[in-house]
């Protein structure tokens, strides 16, 4: 079950990378974003990060050591954004 | 499979590179080039698979059936270019006579688009491009998979510490971010797009009558990023001469990664036909590709 923040994140991801056949509320927040889960790639991750920067002022950089963990799942990405958002 | 041939080649490269570097820094270039002959001969005798790969490749690009001395020349050019890398890296540019084609167009385009993509293959000497970048027309960072060849990396770091400061090590997710961050601040990115990386997704393209797998991620990325794309090929012409040729690639809206990858393979194939001995992929991956992917 998604929290409201996770649902918002799922919607942002669906819009950012055009996941047409997926409903936000059907996503398991713990599912992997890459490969087996939603099947995103690193360019999708970059596009999502640009959206996050626009919407929340959260900047994710290549120098962030835990970048793979941040993009691990909807849950981890939401937690990171909630902890770092500017507005 | 891809992992294996990468590892195998990096190990043998490291051995030869170590040997060549040590001698190269002590003696003049012409004398080291003489010393390459026995090394190449030895290599020719023991490296059966690489010899077969060279035969196969040469049979596609030469207008006559390749003989053992053509394979010898192919190996020799590889070693000669590898040797010259030492001189490029230690900034001994006076050894070389560099010429360029369509260079001015690229330089002019930097006024409007300072960050661009430069795609090449394991063909000729990429160092020749890097040298040109160093004369301050633009900054260009190659993306290199470092963890496969730690010996080479440590050797090259010794030769020119600054060179490796200007390199983006390929890691994975963070590499895509780093490439984007660099392009955004006006630094260009060079990528070698003729070999798949690790177990990543590939696109099969036609190359000299065979099918070879190219790294899908690279072509996907450069299509989705809004930055100009160039192909460049840095041919060794024999003696001390190199020629760097640029192609500014116009994209159409219907271009897919597959179409762009094929375009790249076609450019590369044409280069190989023009100057066959510059192709430095001594692996049979293009033969077995249809079974492996």
């Amino acid at each position: 079950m998604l929290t409201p923040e996770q649902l918002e994140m799922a919607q942002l991801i669906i819009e950012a990378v055009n996941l047409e056949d997926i409903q936000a509320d059907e996503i398991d927040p713990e599912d992997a974003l890459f490969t087996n889960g939603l099947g995103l790639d690193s360019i999708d991750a970059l596009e999502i990060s640009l959206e996050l920067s626009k919407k929340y002022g959260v900047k994710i950089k290549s120098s962030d050591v835990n970048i793979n963990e941040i993009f691990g799942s909807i849950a981890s990405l939401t937690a990171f954004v909630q902890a770092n958002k500017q507005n | 499979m891809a992992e294996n041939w990468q590892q195998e080649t990096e190990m043998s490269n490291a051995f030869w590179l170590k040997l060549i570097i040590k001698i190269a820094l002590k003696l003049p270039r012409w004398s080291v080039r003489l010393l390459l002959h026995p090394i190449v001969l030895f290599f020719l005798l023991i490296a059966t698979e690489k010899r077969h790969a060279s035969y196969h490749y040469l049979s596609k690009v030469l207008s006559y059936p390749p003989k053992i001395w053509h394979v010898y020349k192919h190996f020799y050019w590889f070693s000669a270019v590898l040797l010259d890398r030492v001189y490029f890296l230690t900034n001994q540019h006076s050894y070389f006579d560099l010429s360029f084609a369509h260079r001015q167009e690229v330089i002019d385009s930097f006024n409007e688009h300072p960050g661009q993509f430069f795609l090449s293959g394991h063909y000729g000497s990429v160092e020749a491009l890097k040298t040109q970048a160093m004369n301050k027309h633009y900054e260009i960072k190659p993306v290199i998979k470092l963890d496969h060849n730690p010996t080479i990396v440590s050797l090259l770091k010794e030769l020119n510490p600054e060179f490796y400061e200007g390199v983006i090590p390929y890691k994975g997710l963070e590499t895509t971010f780093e490439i984007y961050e660099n392009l955004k601040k006006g630094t260009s990115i060079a990528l070698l797009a003729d070999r798949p990386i690790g177990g990543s997704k590939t696109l099969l393209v036609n190359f000299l009558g065979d099918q070879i797998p190219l790294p899908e991620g690279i072509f996907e990325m450069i299509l989705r990023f809004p930055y100009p794309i160039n192909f460049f090929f840095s041919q060794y012409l024999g003696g001390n001469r190199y020629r760097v040729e640029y192609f500014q690639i116009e994209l159409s809206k219907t271009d897919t990664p597959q179409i762009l990858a094929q375009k790249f393979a076609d450019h590369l194939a044409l280069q190989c036909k023009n100057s066959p001995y510059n192709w430095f992929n001594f692996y049979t991956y293009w033969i077995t590709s249809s079974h492996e992917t």
Side-chain angles (χ1 to χ4, degrees), chain B residues 8-164:
Chain B
E8 187 203 334
T9 183
E10 301 306 359
M11 275 168 66
S12 59
N13 281 356
F15 171 77
W16 293 111
L17 201 59
K18 239 181 197 176
L19 192 66
I20 291 170
I21 286 174
K22 280 191 181 148
I23 306 167
L25 293 174
K26 305 273 181 211
L27 298 172
R29 181 172 174 268
W30 66 266
S31 61
V32 190
R33 282 167 63 85
L34 284 179
L35 284 175
L36 290 178
H37 285 287
I39 299 173
V40 169
L41 189 62
F42 173 71
F43 204 21
L44 190 71
L45 292 173
I46 62 154
T48 315
E49 207 175 314
K50 291 178 171 56
R51 205 170 56 226
H52 287 317
S54 173
Y55 262 121
H56 177 81
Y57 160 76
L58 290 173
S59 72
K60 301 281 179 175
V61 285
L62 297 177
S63 52
Y64 39 83
K67 305 284 185 216
I68 188 73
W69 51 87
H70 299 118
V71 176
Y72 183 86
K73 184 177 178 185
H74 193 195
F75 280 33
Y76 182 76
W77 276 43
F78 174 66
S79 69
V81 167
L82 206 56
L83 168 68
D84 284 347
R85 219 175 157 184
V86 177
Y87 301 118
F88 278 122
L89 281 167
T90 49
N91 294 319
Q92 301 180 66
H93 303 152
S94 55
Y95 270 131
F96 302 107
D97 173 8
L98 295 176
S99 60
F100 302 94
H102 311 299
R103 178 196 192 194
Q104 196 55 47
E105 290 94 311
V106 174
I107 292 172
D108 291 345
S109 72
F110 279 104
N111 293 327
E112 208 178 331
H113 303 286
Q116 305 194 14
F117 280 113
F118 288 84
L119 257 62
S120 192
H122 292 78
Y123 179 90
S125 176
V126 184
E127 245 70 61
L129 174 98
K130 188 73 187 166
T131 307
Q132 187 217 358
M134 282 172 179
N135 65 20
K136 302 300 171 204
H137 283 296
Y138 52 90
E139 194 184 351
I140 183 162
K141 283 189 179 179
V143 179
I144 297 179
K145 193 156 170 65
L146 292 182
D147 54 347
H148 265 307
N149 46 11
T151 321
I152 294 184
V153 172
S154 66
L155 279 169
L156 296 180
K157 267 184 185 160
E158 272 174 45
L159 282 178
N160 184 347
E162 285 171 23
F163 179 84
Y164 269 89

Side-chain angles (χ1 to χ4, degrees), chain B residues 229-258:
Chain B
I229 300 165
N230 306 273
F231 298 161
F232 75 95
F233 301 98
S234 184
Q235 278 178 6
Y236 176 54
L237 302 175
N240 65 341
R241 290 169 301 128
Y242 284 86
R243 182 172 189 271
V244 188
E245 192 168 1
Y246 299 92
F247 300 88
Q248 292 175 302
I249 303 301
E250 296 291 329
L251 292 177
S252 86
K253 281 193 174 149
T254 52
D255 279 351
T256 59
Q258 181 72 49

Side-chain angles (χ1 to χ4, degrees), chain B residues 185-240:
Chain B
K185 66 173 191 203
T187 301
S188 286
I189 299 292
L191 295 154
L192 297 183
D194 60 338
R195 289 184 194 169
I197 306 159
S200 60
K201 286 191 288 180
T202 56
L203 293 165
L204 278 186
V205 296
N206 298 317
F207 178 73
L208 300 169
D210 287 321
Q211 286 207 307
I212 61 167
L214 298 185
E216 183 173 352
I218 287 181
F219 295 97
E220 175 92 34
M221 175 174 66
I222 62 178
L223 272 180
R224 281 166 68 181
F225 281 8
Y227 295 96
I229 300 165
N230 306 273
F231 298 161
F232 75 95
F233 301 98
S234 184
Q235 278 178 6
Y236 176 54
L237 302 175
N240 65 341

Side-chain angles (χ1 to χ4, degrees), chain A residues 41-47 49-50 60-62 68 71, chain B residues 172-174 176-178 180-181 201 217 220-221 224-225:
Chain A
D41 60 28
S42 60
I43 310 151
D44 294 328
L46 180 69
E47 284 177 353
S49 83
L50 297 178
I60 304 174
K61 296 198 190 78
S62 61
N68 283 292
F71 280 98
Chain B
L173 180 56
E174 54 270 65
T176 305
F177 280 67
E178 203 174 342
Y180 179 77
E181 287 159 11
K201 286 191 288 180
E220 175 92 34
M221 175 174 66
R224 281 166 68 181
F225 281 8

